[in-house]
Amino acid sequence: MSNEHYLRNPLIHRDRRLGRRHSDWVNQFDCTHLRPLIICRGPIRKEAMDVFSEMGIVDFGILLSEKDSIVYQNALAPELRSIANPDRVHRVPDYTGANKEERDQRIAQIIAIAHENGYNAIFAGYGFMAEDESMVAAMERAGLNFIGPCSRTVHDAGLKDEAKRTALKSGVSVTPGIDNGTALTLLKKHPSIADLKALCADQGLAVEEGALDNPDISLEDKADLVLAASYNKGIDLYTVDELSATLTEAVEKMAADYPENRVRLKAISGGGGKGQRILGIGEAPRTPEMVREILNEVKTTGVGDNKNVLVELNIETTRHQEIQVIGNGQWCMTMGGRDCSLQMHEQKLLEVSVTVESLQAAIAQAEASGNEVETRILKQDLLTLEAMENEAARFGEAVGLDSVSTFECIVDRDKHFFMEMNTRIQVEHRVTELCYALKFTNPENPDEHFIVESLVEAMVLLAAHGEKLPRPDRILRHNDSVEARLNATNQALQPSAGGVIEAWSDAVEGEIRDDQGISLHNPDTDVFMKYTLAGAYDSNIALLLTVGETRLDTYERMAEVIRQTNMRGKDLATNLEFHYGLVNWFIGQNINARPTTRFIVPYLTAVGELKEQANGVDLDYAWRQVCSAAAAGHDGEAAKAMATALDLKSTLFLRPLARLLEEPHVLSGWLSINRDCYTLINGKVSWNENPVELLADTYHYLNMDYVAGAPAASMIWDHDNDVLQQAVDFYAELNNRVDADDWIALQTLLAEAQAPAGFSEAGWGEVRAAHKGFQAGAEILAILPAIAEATGYYDLTVNPDLSIHIPERLFDGELQERMAKVLVPPPVAKSDEILAESGGMFYGRETPQHDVYVKEGDHFNAGDPLYIVEVMKMFNKVYAPFSGTIEKVLVEDDGVIISKGQPLFKITPDEKIVVQTPEEIAARRRKMTGAFLEQIV
C-alpha cells in the first residue's frame, strides 16, 4: 500500500501490547480484557481505533450517526474501511441530542448498546458528551468503565463555575468575574434561607438534610444546592430573561470597574470555542441576546438544564496557554504546556508546544547572540510555565484527577490566570505527546519499566489499572512540536461546508497526519476515495503535526509539509494556504514571537489588503510595460535579441506571479520570508539578492519545481525550466570565478567594463551581455514588494520584546469586515436578492420562542440581523449589508439546509446598486498597475 508515512508513522504507531513483555510486573498492566465502545467521531475516533489495536484490544465498537452514514452523499465515516466486522458498528440518530430529553435518551441508548453487545468500557474522546457529568455518572452507575476522568472530577473541574471555586480554594489565580449568575438570580426571587426552604418544600426538591442550616455554607452556595436539586428533578426555578437581567447587571458593573476591557460570557458546559461570546465596550444591553445565542449553541435551553453563564473580564493582551495534566487519583503530574493563542472566534488554528527544554534552548541562543531583551522575556516565560505547571498539579490533586485533563490559562505579560479545566483529552494532545513520554517503573525494581508515548494509551491504562500505576517519570522525546488544524474554511476562515475532497497527496516524511480515515485508500485498488465535507459537525478535516529540536526547525518542517501537500476537489475550500502563509510569517519575522488571541483577525485584514491591491494588478499590461522599458535604448540586432529574450521568458515570470497574486495567504508568506531581499531607494525597489535566484526559490516555494512526467499545470514548464537553470548555473559559475561577497557587490563588478582577473576583455563582454539577458524582465518581480509597501504590510511586525506590533488600522471593524469580503467575495446577486453567504442550516429567529427577524413587508436597515446559519456546529448571525424592504422570504421554515449562493430573500433596496462595466474595471486596474510600475521601471 502507498501512503506509508500515514499508515505506519513510527512517531505515533508502535506495538503497545504490555501483556507480551518479559516481565510479570509489566504484564499485569495488560489491557486486552477491555471491550470499549467509542462514542465520538473525527480524528480522535480513528486514533483510538489505532491505539486500541496496537494495545491488543480487538473487541471494540463504534457508534455511527445517520449524518455520518445516510444523510450526506459520500460522507460515510471513512474509519469503516478498517473495520471488517459490521457487528462492531452501531447506528444512532446522532451522537448527542438537541436538548436534555434527547441527550438522556442517547445516554440510555449507549448503555443499552454496550450491555447488549458485551462492551465493558466507554471512550468519549473530545466533543459531544465527553465532559457531560450526567453521562459519565450514568456510565458508572451502569457498571461501565469510563475511559476518562470520573464523574466527581468532571463535576469539580469540568463545570466552569465549580472549577473556579475549586481553583480559588487551591490557591490558583483566576480571572475577575462572577461564576454564580444562576444562584444570584434565584436569590433575587428567594432572598433568604427561609425562602429557599419554602421553595424546596413547594417544589419537592431533595436537598441534603441540614445543608441549608449549615453556617459554614454561604447563602449563594445554598442557592446552588437548591438549583442542583432542581436540575436533578428536571424543573426550572428561573427564566432565561431573569438570568439575563442578572448577567446584564454583572456586565454593567464589570464595565464600570474595567472601562478599557471587553467582557466575556461563557457557558459552564461549553468547550472547543462553543458557548462563548465577547461583549464590546458599551455593549452591555446586548447581554440577553448573547446569552440566548450561547445557550442555543451548547444546547442547554431545555427545561431542567443548568443554564449558568460565567461573566469574566476579557484580558485584552491574552495569550492562551494550557498545561497537560495526568493523574490516577493519588498522584498528579504535568507534561508541559501548549500555546493556543493563534485562534479566531475561540477556534484554535495553530498550536505549539511550550516546554522547559525548548525555552532553555531559546534562552541560551538569545544569550549567545547578545539579545538582552529577548533573553529577559524568554526567562519570564520559563518562570510562567513552571508556575502554571505547579498550579495545574495542585488543582489536579484537589479534584482527584484520575485520567488526563487540561489546565487552561490566559497569560498577560508576566501574569497568568486560571481559565478552566477541560476534563477530557484535547484535540491538540499530540503536541504534548510528541514532546514527552511517560516512563512507568517498578518501585521495587528499577530495571522493570515500560514507556507510554500516547495519551490515549495512558487513558486506557488509567481506566484499567489506575491505582496500581506508579507515578511515572516525564521523559523528553522532542523539544518542540506544532499542530496546524486543517479545516473546511474559506480564505477568510469562515466555515465552508459541502465541498468534496477528490484527491489528497500522500503524507510525506516528517508529517504526522491525523484525520478520521479520509486518507485510508481503497483497500482493493489503493486509490484515494473521495469524501464529502458535509458540515454536520465541526469544520476540522485533519490535524497536521511536525516535530523538531528547536521551534524554528519545527516550523520549517511544517512549512515543508504544507508546501508538498496537494488537495483538490469540487467546491472545496480549506485553510491550507492560510497555514502556509502564517507559518512562513513567523519564520520570516521571529519564531519566538508572542501573539495574543487578537492577532489572527488583524493578520487576516492585512492579507485582505494585499489581495485588494493584487486584484488591481493587470499582469499582462505590467509585462508589456516592463518589456517596453527593457527594449528602450536598444536598436538593431541588440533590440531583436532583447525582444527574443523577453518573449522566451514571459511565462517564466508571469505564471508564478499570477499564482501569488491569486493566493493572498501564499503571497503573505512569500513576502515575509523575502523581506530582506530588497531595499526601497528613492521610491524604487532595489534587489539585495539576485532576482534569478529569487525566482528559482519562488518556484520551489510554490511547489512548482520541475518533475519529469508531472502535469504541466502544476510545475514550471520545461522550456522555462531550461532558461531558469541556464541562468542559475551561469551565476553559480560566475560566483566561483569572481571575488564578490553578495549580489550588490556582483552587480557593481558587472557594471564595470574592465575585465577582472581571470577574464579576457572579450570574455568579460560576453559575461556582461549574458547577465543582461538573464536579468531582462526580472523587474516584474518587484510588483510583489511594491504591493506590500502600498498596503503597509510590513508594519505588522514583531517587537524586540517579542510582542507583535499591530497597526491601529487593522483593528478597525469596518476595515476587517470589508477585507473579509475581499478575501471571499459574496456571491454575485441580482439587485433584488439577498443570497446565502455560506451553506448550512437556516434559522430565521433567535430561538423557537422568538419572532422571526424579518418577514414580508418589513423594512430593514444596514446592520440589522436577517437570519442565523448553523455551519459546522457554530451559529453565525448574518446582518443586512444594506437597507431595503423584504418582498418575499424564499426559505420555507427554520431548520432548512441552504447552500452558498442560494437566494433567501427577494428585496427592494433603498438605493440603486451601481455595477461597474468591464471597461471601467480594466481602466481602474491599468491605473493601479501604473502606480506600481513607477517603483519598478
Side-chain angles (χ1 to χ4, degrees), residues 363-520:
I363 290 168
Q365 185 177 13
E367 286 177 334
S369 62
N371 193 329
E372 295 180 3
V373 175
E374 189 162 324
T375 299
R376 174 174 54 82
I377 298 300
L378 291 169
K379 285 183 174 179
Q380 179 57 58
D381 279 354
L382 181 56
L383 291 174
T384 299
L385 172 63
E386 290 171 340
M388 289 191 297
E389 289 206 65
N390 181 272
E391 290 183 4
R394 289 207 313 270
F395 185 88
E397 290 175 0
V399 297
L401 179 62
D402 57 352
S403 188
V404 303
S405 288
T406 303
F407 183 84
E408 303 213 14
C409 297
I410 53 179
V411 178
D412 182 14
R413 299 180 181 89
D414 60 345
K415 299 181 179 64
H416 67 277
F417 304 93
F418 170 70
M419 186 164 55
E420 63 192 31
M421 176 171 265
N422 285 328
T423 53
R424 55 174 169 82
I425 195 164
Q426 292 280 91
V427 175
E428 61 274 16
H429 66 277
R430 284 233 200 257
V431 172
T432 291
E433 66 184 39
L434 288 167
C435 290
Y436 292 119
L438 297 171
K439 182 179 180 180
F440 292 88
T441 304
N442 185 348
E444 299 177 1
N445 182 356
D447 293 332
E448 293 185 305
H449 66 268
F450 61 91
I451 292 174
V452 173
E453 294 181 348
S454 160
L455 283 171
V456 170
E457 179 184 6
M459 292 175 71
V460 175
L461 282 164
L462 287 163
H465 307 289
E467 292 185 0
K468 290 194 297 182
L469 284 168
R471 180 188 178 96
D473 294 317
R474 178 171 100 178
I475 60 175
L476 184 67
R477 296 184 69 192
H478 302 93
N479 282 351
D480 288 275
S481 65
V482 65
E483 173 180 281
R485 297 196 188 190
L486 178 58
N487 295 335
T489 56
N490 60 28
Q491 297 287 291
L493 301 188
Q494 299 156 343
S496 179
V500 180
I501 304 175
E502 296 177 332
W504 188 356
S505 55
D506 288 351
V508 299
E509 186 175 1
E511 172 185 355
I512 298 110
R513 181 189 297 179
D514 266 343
D515 63 16
Q516 64 180 91
I518 299 171
S519 296
L520 288 172

Side-chain angles (χ1 to χ4, degrees), residues 44-110:
I44 189 63
R45 176 162 66 188
K46 171 68 166 54
E47 180 184 349
M49 291 166 60
D50 289 343
V51 171
F52 292 167
S53 297
E54 291 161 0
M55 294 180 76
I57 300 171
V58 294
D59 294 321
F60 59 82
I62 70 169
L63 294 187
L64 184 67
S65 81
E66 291 179 358
K67 293 177 183 177
D68 261 345
S69 59
I70 298 174
V71 175
Y72 298 96
Q73 185 181 10
N74 297 320
L76 183 66
E79 303 96 317
L80 296 180
R81 300 167 196 168
S82 61
I83 295 181
N85 183 356
D87 292 338
R88 288 160 52 193
V89 179
H90 308 281
R91 297 183 181 274
V92 291
D94 198 354
Y95 299 100
T96 182
N99 52 44
K100 187 176 186 299
E101 182 181 0
E102 288 187 13
R103 194 160 59 247
D104 290 342
Q105 291 173 357
R106 193 69 64 251
I107 291 170
Q109 186 177 10
I110 290 170

